[in-house]
Amino acid sequence: MRHGMSRLRALPRAHLIAGICLVLLLLYPVVNPWQPYPQGVMLLAFLLAIQASSWNIISGYAGYISLGHSMFLGLGSYTVGVLAVHFGVNPLWVAPLGGITAVIIAILIGSVVLRTRGHAFVIITIAMLLAAQIFAVNLKGITQGSDGITLELPFWDRDFQNIPFYYVFLILMVLTVLFSAWIRRTKFGTGLVAIREDEGKAASIGVNTTRFKIVAYAASSFFIGMAGGVYAYYLTFINPVGSFAILGSVTIVLATLTGGRGTLYGPVLGAFIVQLVSEGATVYGGGSNARVLVFGLALMLVVLFLPKGILPTIEEWWRRRHPENVEYTDQAGALSRAPVTATVTVTERVRAEIAAVNEKDEVAPGEILLDVRGVSKRFGGLTAVDDAGLTVRKGSITALIGPNGSGKTTLFNLISGGMAADSGEIWFDGRRIDGMRPWRRGHLGLGRTYQVTRLFKEMTVQENVVAPLPDSRWRTMFSDAVRGHEAARARELLDIVGLGRFANQPAGALSYGQQKLVELAQVLMLEPKLILLDEPAGGVNPSLLGQLTEVIRELNRSGVTFLIVEHNIPLVLDLCDPVVVFSHGAPIAEGPPDRIRTDPLVLDAYLGDDWRPTEDGDEDGAGDRADETTREAVQ
Amino acid sequence: MTHLVQAIALGLLIGGVYALMASGLTLIFGVMRIINIAQGAFLILVAMLTWWLWHETGIDPILASVVTTPLMFGFGWVAYRLLLSRIRGSSASMSVLLTFGFALVIEGVLNITAGNKFKSATPSYFEESFRVGAISLPKAQVFGFLAAMAVLGVLYFVLTRTWTGRAIRAATQNPSGAALVGVGATGTAALAFAIGSATTGVGGSILSVLYPFFPASHYDWISRLLGIVVLGGMGSLPGALIGAGILGLAETLTATYGSLNWSTLVFYIVIMVVLLFRPQGLFGAKLREDTV
């Protein structure tokens, strides 16, 4: 919840304001007990806040819009209504079962439609809302069909009127907000935001995106289902059309969007606004016919003119008024070509951790850690990777070089699991991995960075580094991401790459080269055995580059193996051994750097004449000219 | 046996109409990655207009689409320019919410202007049928089917044989590549949205004859159409055809052998089962953007 924290810091004392509002709401019925109308309006606002706050978990944090979320309210109502009618139980005591029904249905639907990325989810949520209505109409034996279910009147004295409901909904609202806040603090919450920002990247850092999305959908349904049970008792009458109304979903979406999607208090604020405006529209604007029009217009206006919502907009304004000064560049040495003086130290603790991960390995140093066997990948008529074989030995820094379009990045994608190979096998650490989902490969100790960095730009630097999950345990998933072990570790890794002081800055504010280093720290969080680096030097200034190579060397000394795609040939020849040369989707040469730079085949296919040794053996000259070539290539 | 043949024949006739209605939706999604939730409301809007034209002048409802189609073309074009083009570049979810809001506005306006009572256009042939052997095919269904097929044929021709169509398909497959060869993204998108909206001209006219409707009916329609698009694979026109056929058959077969009440539900179950085994839908290609 770092991001949330900084958000709260930007909006001073948000928790305090929320607390004061809560006290006022708690006192209101005591101060003004005999007016049922305002209490009724308020408790409906609480109900909407419960729904909006819950919806925010799947649609705000994870970014998967559900347009049928009022279905869970109806499911809760019907669970309670059916139990009350058939078994005579009091609706209030079985309301939690409404929440459980909602969770079960959410898991069932989610398991079908949340396995892929994309737009099927939003569509299915609408269809399921209508399907639920069809069930309620037609399962007459259970639900009494279109006639609906009439429940007993509340058991308390009529003098108390709505006061008990007022407090029940208020408590449920507080619980929902606390639940949402807790989720956002955990690595689960960080993972959800990661999914919203870049789902493919999230999968590659060990986030089991399928599981995360399904759990988020289920988590977003529980309190709504439970509130639905209480709501049925409050109404004392439920029917299919009222319980599964799409307009209910509209108010949820509108409330969250107005207040601020993805924030903690936004949905609550939005719920109060929407409820009060809607009440006003009904009273003064000509009844429910006008409501559809008003909601529709409001939704369009918010999307067009206030897409971020009230709280984030205020926060932005506040930030502009109170700018924080952060020194983003290393003024000293950023542009000098002088060799790095920055001392890189991999702390003892991290070194020990890495060593522990890599020692309990079945693969001994020097043996084959990654084995790519006869792998091919075609895009239509283009064969990007053609029956390629490649081995990476444990403890090595292996380079993969070759012309643009020779299939290096595609091979990386096949190894990390972003794409599926058409044929061939990939073995890692004694296991066949080519059929595994990307996060499984991450959990086995396979990490990668990207040619063009893919940080989660709306998260802070520290959140970016905390996000990866080294294993698939539920305990890891629900561990605290703000304080404690995980956060401390992220901080340490950031210090290793020399960016500790940027921990609380948004990742998007960093320079490209700094982002590359953050991405490396992110991968280290996975406790990797093998790191695939895709053009680590591209677009990085010489000073940072020195820092980067030092980090790579240090990590390698601690036991991490590297496979590096890079066009900066002097760097490759200096850092890597062996070097593999790729051309037309398959390796054409492999060997120690000295042999590669003189290999005629490699000179023809990639390095070119500048690297060809001159007749009088002036190797220095060759090196200089090659430097120029490389600089051009980088540009 | 007669029941079965009758059900299948009817199912295919209805499926053809559904295919027309879904084609606009899938075209818009294919080009712009916009899920136009308002497509159902467009249909109801046209149905209402058609009903009014028929009621006032006695013109045949299906023929009235000669008027409503260009009207919807212009309506779609203006809607894109005024509304959707403003949120280009923001996430796809915003377009869902915007078109959802638009649908509600149309529903609200219709509620106020036309009232929320069921309506249905009933031309002279409304209760007549063609008899082919033992089965009978209602004339309205047959005319609707033929009109739908004609429009789909024109749509197919436009998309494959004209420069405009090629531009639209180019923009579907590779927007930046299309821009490089002179196909402007915004213009193409507006055109595709207009064409997608224009398909509701005929679709809505047919609807006004075949189904009773009122302003809030658009939820039923949009969820059916979206179901077709998901089942067939998002953005795939052949997928929409097959999906529409499956919906038509599922409905008539369920109505014949089970109960009319469950017919839509059976279709949703078919969708869920298909998605269980083919998450990208029947004809949906796994998109390049789905990879890491």
Side-chain angles (χ1 to χ4, degrees):
Chain A
M1 188 160 142
R2 259 305 137 171
H3 191 43
M5 292 294 276
S6 59
R7 193 157 264 173
L8 299 179
R9 214 177 306 127
L11 282 179
R13 298 184 279 277
H15 288 315
L16 184 68
I17 295 170
I20 293 171
C21 290
L22 177 60
V23 171
L24 292 177
L25 289 174
L26 279 168
L27 290 177
Y28 178 70
V30 182
V31 179
N32 194 3
W34 309 123
Q35 287 201 319
Y37 175 67
Q39 284 167 18
V41 174
M42 290 309 279
L43 70 86
L44 288 180
F46 301 157
L47 177 64
L48 185 54
I50 293 166
Q51 299 180 80
S53 216
S54 300
W55 184 82
N56 190 43
I57 294 171
I58 179 75
S59 304
Y61 296 160
Y64 271 75
I65 301 273
S66 158
L67 287 183
H69 234 59
S70 57
M71 171 181 77
F72 296 121
L73 194 75
L75 284 174
S77 296
Y78 263 93
T79 305
V80 165
V82 168
L83 287 175
V85 164
H86 292 269
F87 304 100
V89 290
N90 181 286
L92 212 48
W93 312 140
V94 290
L97 292 180
I100 289 170
T101 310
V103 166
I104 291 170
I105 299 293
I107 290 175
L108 288 178
I109 296 174
S111 316
V112 178
V113 283
L114 283 171
R115 287 176 307 149
T116 45
R117 231 175 292 174
H119 307 289
F121 178 72
V122 60
I123 291 176
I124 293 296
T125 55
I126 304 179
M128 287 302 115
L129 174 67
L130 295 174
Q133 201 184 78
I134 298 175
F135 270 115
V137 171
N138 290 305
L139 291 175
K140 293 200 177 68
I142 304 171
T143 64
Q144 306 184 0
S146 309
D147 298 341
I149 296 174
T150 306
L151 292 129
E152 59 186 294
L153 292 175
F155 57 81
W156 50 81
D157 196 292
R158 278 177 63 185
D159 285 347
F160 289 114
Q161 307 209 29
N162 286 334
I163 294 176
F165 283 120
Y166 180 97
Y167 281 112
V168 171
F169 281 122
L170 181 58
I171 289 166
L172 278 178
M173 178 181 86
V174 172
L175 288 177
T176 311
V177 172
L178 289 175
F179 181 60
S180 169
W182 172 73
I183 282 184
R184 190 61 186 84
R185 278 185 71 99
T186 60
K187 286 184 76 136
F188 171 52
T190 316
L192 293 181
V193 178
I195 288 172
R196 179 183 77 203
E197 301 229 336
D198 185 344
E199 194 165 342
K201 163 85 184 191
S204 82
I205 55 169
V207 174
N208 182 337
T209 53
T210 305
R211 185 211 277 176
F212 272 52
K213 287 186 286 181
I214 295 171
V215 173
Y217 191 41
S220 76
S221 71
F222 178 74
F223 283 102
I224 303 185
M226 194 160 152
V230 182
Y231 189 48
Y233 194 35
Y234 168 74
L235 292 175
T236 66
F237 172 73
I238 53 174
N239 68 351
V241 177
S243 293
F244 299 103
I246 197 142
L247 216 53
S249 289
V250 178
T251 53
I252 299 175
V253 175
L254 190 57
T256 315
L257 223 56
T258 306
R261 186 148 71 102
T263 63
L264 180 60
Y265 293 121
V268 180
L269 176 68
F272 279 83
I273 294 172
V274 168
Q275 183 56 39
L276 294 177
V277 169
S278 138
E279 195 61 33
T282 313
V283 174
Y284 302 106
S288 58
N289 250 357
R291 257 167 46 135
V292 178
L293 189 59
V294 168
F295 282 148
L297 276 175
L299 188 55
M300 288 176 72
L301 290 176
V302 169
V303 171
L304 287 175
F305 300 110
L306 194 67
K308 287 183 177 155
I310 293 173
L311 286 188
T313 306
I314 294 179
E315 186 204 327
E316 240 168 51
W317 170 81
W318 183 268
R319 280 235 174 107
R320 265 202 307 276
R321 287 282 305 275
H322 303 81
E324 269 179 86
N325 281 320
V326 184
E327 197 69 41
Y328 277 109
T329 48
D330 269 319
Q331 294 301 347
L335 299 172
S336 75
R337 290 217 59 172
V340 217
T341 46
T343 47
V344 179
T345 43
V346 175
T347 54
E348 272 314 309
R349 214 172 67 101
V350 171
R351 194 196 303 276
E353 239 173 42
I354 291 171
V357 168
N358 283 281
E359 266 166 19
K360 67 186 174 205
D361 235 356
E362 285 140 43
V363 180
E367 285 182 24
I368 292 172
L369 180 63
L370 175 75
D371 191 4
V372 178
R373 299 178 189 163
V375 162
S376 297
K377 177 71 186 177
R378 279 173 292 275
F379 299 111
L382 173 77
T383 305
V385 177
D386 190 4
D387 195 24
L390 174 77
T391 55
V392 175
R393 288 180 189 278
K394 192 169 170 60
S396 71
I397 305 181
T398 304
L400 181 61
I401 61 173
N404 289 325
S406 60
K408 305 181 299 293
T409 297
T410 305
L411 184 68
F412 265 28
N413 287 337
L414 299 178
I415 296 171
S416 68
M419 293 175 188
D422 296 326
S423 59
E425 295 178 8
I426 302 171
W427 291 71
F428 174 69
D429 204 13
R431 259 181 275 207
R432 188 172 170 183
I433 60 164
D434 52 83
M436 288 181 186
R437 305 299 297 266
W439 52 84
R440 282 277 296 136
R441 305 181 199 206
H443 299 160
L444 290 177
L446 183 67
R448 76 166 291 187
T449 65
Y450 292 85
Q451 191 175 345
V452 178
T453 56
R454 285 172 70 174
L455 290 183
F456 308 113
K457 295 202 168 54
E458 301 225 333
M459 291 188 188
T460 63
V461 170
Q462 174 155 329
E463 274 188 311
N464 264 281
V465 181
V466 175
L469 286 103
D471 56 56
S472 60
R473 284 181 307 177
W474 291 89
R475 251 186 69 185
T476 314
M477 182 170 156
F478 287 112
S479 60
D480 195 328
V482 181
R483 276 191 216 102
H485 169 254
E486 294 291 315
R489 210 164 143 249
R491 218 26 208 262
E492 209 165 343
L493 293 173
L494 274 174
D495 285 336
I496 290 177
V497 297
L499 295 175
R501 69 210 153 97
F502 297 126
N504 290 326
Q505 296 309 311
L510 297 191
S511 79
Y512 189 70
Q514 290 168 329
Q515 292 191 19
K516 290 224 153 187
L517 287 170
V518 175
E519 214 171 40
L520 183 61
Q522 203 174 35
V523 168
L524 290 177
M525 198 74 182
L526 276 176
E527 300 172 0
K529 293 170 183 163
L530 170 66
I531 300 180
L532 313 177
L533 296 177
D534 199 345
E535 299 199 17
V540 177
N541 75 49
S543 155
L544 267 181
L545 187 54
Q547 197 171 344
L548 188 71
T549 48
E550 267 321 291
V551 173
I552 293 174
R553 279 215 176 88
E554 272 283 319
L555 290 170
N556 181 248
R557 258 175 243 137
S558 325
V560 183
T561 310
F562 284 90
L563 175 61
I564 303 179
V565 163
E566 185 50 66
H567 286 297
N568 185 335
I569 299 304
L571 177 82
V572 165
L573 297 180
D574 177 44
L575 185 67
C576 307
D577 185 9
V579 176
V580 180
V581 185
F582 236 55
S583 180
H584 296 295
I588 54 167
E590 181 183 348
D594 287 337
R595 216 176 65 218
I596 289 298
R597 69 190 299 174
T598 54
D599 188 317
L601 217 58
V602 178
L603 290 167
D604 283 344
Y606 179 48
L607 294 179
D609 287 337
D610 282 342
W611 286 85
R612 220 176 280 281
T614 45
E615 273 161 32
D616 55 318
D618 177 14
E619 291 220 355
D620 286 349
D624 283 349
R625 264 173 282 141
D627 245 2
E628 282 159 29
T629 328
T630 319
R631 241 171 288 139
E632 276 164 31
V634 168
Q635 282 157 5
Chain B
M1 188 62 202
T2 319
H3 278 307
L4 183 64
V5 175
Q6 170 91 39
I8 290 176
L10 266 183
L12 290 178
L13 287 181
I14 295 173
V17 177
Y18 286 156
L20 171 65
M21 293 171 174
S23 64
L25 197 61
T26 205
L27 180 69
I28 289 171
F29 179 79
V31 178
M32 285 161 280
R33 305 281 142 199
I34 287 175
I35 302 171
N36 182 21
I37 306 280
Q39 195 83 359
F42 287 8
L43 278 172
I44 299 300
L45 179 66
V46 172
M48 210 65 97
L49 266 176
T50 308
W51 180 87
W52 181 76
L53 280 174
W54 167 79
H55 194 75
E56 295 295 313
T57 67
I59 185 180
D60 181 85
I62 295 179
L63 280 182
S65 55
V66 178
V67 181
T68 51
T69 302
L71 221 55
M72 290 312 288
F73 183 91
F75 185 71
W77 198 83
V78 171
Y80 185 83
R81 288 279 169 177
L82 285 187
L83 301 173
L84 287 151
S85 65
R86 284 170 184 271
I87 56 161
R88 275 182 78 87
S90 55
S91 69
S93 58
M94 292 314 257
S95 69
V96 168
L97 298 175
L98 184 63
T99 55
F100 193 21
F102 196 29
L104 292 173
V105 169
I106 294 175
E107 180 194 340
V109 169
L110 288 180
N111 263 337
I112 291 165
T113 55
N116 46 9
K117 286 206 182 65
F118 272 106
K119 288 191 172 57
S120 179
T122 50
S124 54
Y125 51 82
F126 181 66
E127 291 189 323
E128 295 168 18
S129 294
F130 293 115
R131 293 205 66 87
V132 183
I135 63 172
S136 69
L137 303 171
K139 281 187 179 174
Q141 299 272 18
V142 175
F143 295 152
F145 177 80
L146 292 177
M149 287 300 115
V151 176
L152 279 175
V154 170
L155 194 62
Y156 181 78
F157 178 82
V158 169
L159 283 179
T160 54
R161 296 293 150 80
T162 65
W163 190 89
T164 312
R166 276 198 290 273
I168 289 176
R169 283 189 302 143
T172 315
Q173 285 165 18
N174 185 347
S176 44
L180 279 178
V181 295
V183 177
T186 314
T188 315
L191 199 61
F193 198 85
I195 294 177
S197 308
T199 60
T200 62
V202 179
S205 310
I206 300 172
L207 189 154
S208 73
V209 182
L210 293 183
Y211 303 90
F213 59 91
F214 74 114
S217 308
H218 73 98
Y219 300 117
D220 292 334
W221 282 98
I222 192 60
S223 58
R224 269 185 216 177
L225 300 186
L226 290 172
I228 290 171
V229 173
V230 171
L231 179 62
M234 308 280 300
S236 156
L237 266 178
L241 286 179
I242 302 292
I246 292 175
L247 172 58
L249 288 175
E251 286 192 347
T252 51
L253 289 174
T254 319
T256 308
Y257 293 103
S259 134
L260 192 63
N261 296 332
W262 296 105
S263 56
T264 313
L265 200 66
V266 168
F267 178 59
Y268 292 148
I269 292 169
V270 172
I271 295 176
M272 293 303 258
V273 172
V274 168
L275 289 184
L276 204 54
F277 295 103
R278 260 188 89 77
Q280 71 273 34
L282 289 174
F283 282 72
K286 277 210 163 178
L287 302 171
R288 185 80 185 253
E289 72 204 42
D290 281 348
T291 57
V292 176

